[in-house]
């Protein structure tokens, strides 16, 4: 049996195509989270959870420096931005590193909270921005893992449109 380890340890963030190398400490990527409802009925011995949609999506970016240009982008509640997080997925086997694959997260949304700077003696000012995400996609080695768009009612996982029948039944 040959074990393969996937290691993703770093990334670069882009906002509206502008690279922010070194300006962020971390980014929490927005992934579709399923909203579930409880179902219980007479005669059932238990309760079941049923899918009821996708919960609102948020991303968080922790900034490592006070950057006026990024702060300017993050203060308008009406300006939509495109976000990218690009990473290098390294694959390892018993023979060492066997591959390096691109990982691409694409998101579109608006800044919900620009973040409040925290001032401390002898330390860099840090802020954390919160972004409401309307559209997100994940690609590994050019293969789409998922695509979700709340306004278009699109949710594709592994190439399968999860909402095609739902849209059809609604007449759209």
């Amino acid at each position: 049996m040959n074990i393969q380890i996937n290691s993703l340890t770093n990334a670069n963030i882009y906002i509206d195509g502008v690279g922010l190398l070194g300006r962020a400490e971390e980014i929490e990527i927005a992934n579709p989270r399923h909203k579930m409802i409880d179902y219980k009925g007479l005669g059932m011995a238990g309760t079941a959870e049923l899918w009821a949609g996708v919960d609102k999506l948020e991303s968080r970016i922790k900034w490592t420096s006070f950057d006026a240009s990024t702060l300017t982008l993050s203060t308008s509640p009406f300006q939509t931005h495109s976000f990218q997080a690009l990473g290098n997925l390294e694959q390892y086997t018993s023979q060492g590193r066997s591959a390096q694959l691109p990982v691409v997260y694409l998101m579109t949304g608006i800044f919900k909270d620009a973040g409040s700077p925290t001032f401390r003696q002898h330390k860099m000012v840090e802020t954390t921005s919160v972004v409401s995400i309307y559209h997100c996609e994940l690609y590994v080695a050019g293969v789409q893992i998922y695509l979700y768009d709340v306004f278009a009612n699109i949710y594709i996982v592994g190439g399968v449109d999860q909402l095609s029948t739902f849209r059809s039944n609604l007449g759209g």
Side-chain angles (χ1 to χ4, degrees), residues 53-73:
V54 177
D55 211 350
K56 64 183 178 180
L57 303 182
E58 287 186 344
S59 180
R60 297 179 186 280
I61 304 171
K62 183 177 180 183
W63 304 104
T64 57
S65 65
F66 189 83
D67 180 38
S69 62
T70 305
L71 188 58
T72 301
L73 291 176

Side-chain angles (χ1 to χ4, degrees), residues 71-83:
L71 188 58
T72 301
L73 291 176
S74 64
T75 53
S76 173
F78 305 109
Q79 180 64 41
T80 303
H81 299 282
S82 63
F83 298 84

Side-chain angles (χ1 to χ4, degrees), residues 30-51:
N31 289 310
R33 290 185 311 244
H34 300 167
K35 188 177 279 195
M36 306 297 281
I37 58 170
D38 287 343
Y39 178 81
K40 53 188 174 184
L42 291 176
M44 291 179 65
T47 302
E49 276 193 317
L50 304 174
W51 188 85

